Amino acid sequence: SAVISQKPSRDICQRGTSLTIQCQVDSQVTMMFWYRQQPGQSLTLIATANQGSEATYESGFVIDKFPISRPNLTFSTLTVSNMSPEDSSIYLCSVSKGGTYEQYFGPGTRLTVT
Amino acid sequence: KNQVEQSPQSLIILEGKNCTLQCNYTVSPFSNLRWYKQDTGRGPVSLTIMTFSENTKSNGRYTATLDADTKQSSLHITASQLSDSASYICVVSSYNAGNMLTFGGGTRLMVKP
């Protein structure tokens, strides 16, 4: 299994500012994922972050708005830049472990933009 | 386009009763289907994962079924408890694009005493 922690757990931010969300895993993993979950909705994949390479972004998400770092096999950050109220969501970090289909999710970061 | 549809969107049942949640998918090529439970304010937690060859899998009071021919799955909850109140998300994985996951919209279950 994998235990994932995220910081902060929640934040209220002003329009136009940026927030960096941290994701820490208790074991080394190759693939890390960042998801967004808007109120009352299911999860949408933002990007896949592999260590040692640039993150791969899904349609509708761009690096300038959601820069991602992946400095090692247990840590990643997602920055939400130049925030607007439409960015108010829960942001979840997720990892998969090689050799299994299991995917584990962090507790999420609840972001409110005013 | 890969899609996962869940029904009902929400459900209220009394404690101790059984319920069944439905999931229909149009994901190809199919790799596996997962059911997750997401408590309010938490990340999703895996309940079951089924591959093409499996048609039923249990995890305690949760039993998932899969009919790969009709592309349908169900999650049956037996003798519901208040702690079962959560969203249940059906997720289907495709062999394409590195096992890309397609998420259903979820069923929000409320168990009342």
Side-chain angles (χ1 to χ4, degrees):
Chain A
S1 66
V3 178
I4 304 171
S5 59
Q6 288 185 231
K7 288 182 182 179
S9 58
R10 58 177 62 221
D11 207 340
I12 300 173
C13 302
Q14 289 196 332
R15 180 196 299 260
T17 63
S18 298
L19 176 72
T20 295
I21 302 168
Q22 299 179 6
C23 175
Q24 180 76 51
V25 189
D26 69 340
S27 56
Q28 293 185 339
V29 293
T30 304
M31 300 182 75
M32 295 181 78
F33 308 89
W34 285 99
Y35 288 87
R36 181 173 74 182
Q37 186 174 28
Q38 295 183 301
Q41 305 292 315
S42 194
L43 284 73
T44 301
L45 180 64
I46 297 172
T48 301
N50 292 332
Q51 195 267 338
S53 63
E54 294 289 323
T56 304
Y57 289 82
E58 297 300 307
S59 176
F61 298 97
V62 295
I63 187 171
D64 290 345
K65 175 68 175 177
F66 298 101
I68 288 171
S69 78
R70 181 80 200 273
N72 58 52
L73 291 173
T74 63
F75 187 79
S76 178
T77 67
L78 170 76
T79 299
V80 186
S81 304
N82 187 25
M83 288 183 285
S84 67
E86 292 71 37
D87 294 320
S88 297
S89 286
I90 298 172
Y91 292 85
L92 296 117
C93 171
S94 177
V95 305
S96 64
K97 304 210 81 171
T100 76
Y101 293 126
E102 279 287 3
Q103 190 157 334
Y104 305 91
F105 290 86
T109 295
R110 183 180 293 271
L111 170 63
T112 302
V113 183
T114 61
Chain B
K1 180 184 176 185
N2 290 339
Q3 284 190 310
V4 177
E5 301 285 341
Q6 290 187 243
S7 61
Q9 283 190 323
S10 62
L11 182 63
I12 300 174
I13 62 173
L14 293 177
E15 186 179 12
K17 297 296 186 183
N18 304 335
C19 67
T20 300
L21 314 180
Q22 301 290 344
C23 173
N24 296 336
Y25 62 91
T26 56
V27 175
S28 181
F30 175 86
S31 173
N32 59 80
L33 183 145
R34 311 138 186 244
W35 282 94
Y36 285 90
K37 178 186 179 187
Q38 186 176 22
D39 293 309
T40 301
R42 303 286 190 102
V45 174
S46 178
L47 295 175
T48 64
I49 297 176
M50 289 183 291
T51 60
F52 184 88
S53 59
E54 298 173 293
N55 26 44
T56 186
K57 184 168 275 191
S58 292
N59 178 358
R61 294 179 297 102
Y62 301 102
T63 299
T65 66
L66 172 65
D67 185 334
D69 291 331
T70 62
K71 300 187 177 180
Q72 296 180 324
S73 176
S74 65
L75 180 69
H76 186 73
I77 304 174
T78 303
S80 60
Q81 301 176 357
L82 298 179
S83 59
D84 292 330
S85 296
S87 288
Y88 292 84
I89 306 172
C90 176
V91 184
V92 182
S93 173
S94 169
Y95 280 118
N96 282 343
N99 287 311
M100 178 179 176
L101 301 183
T102 303
F103 288 77
T107 293
R108 186 177 298 275
L109 174 66
M110 182 178 295
V111 181
K112 290 194 167 183

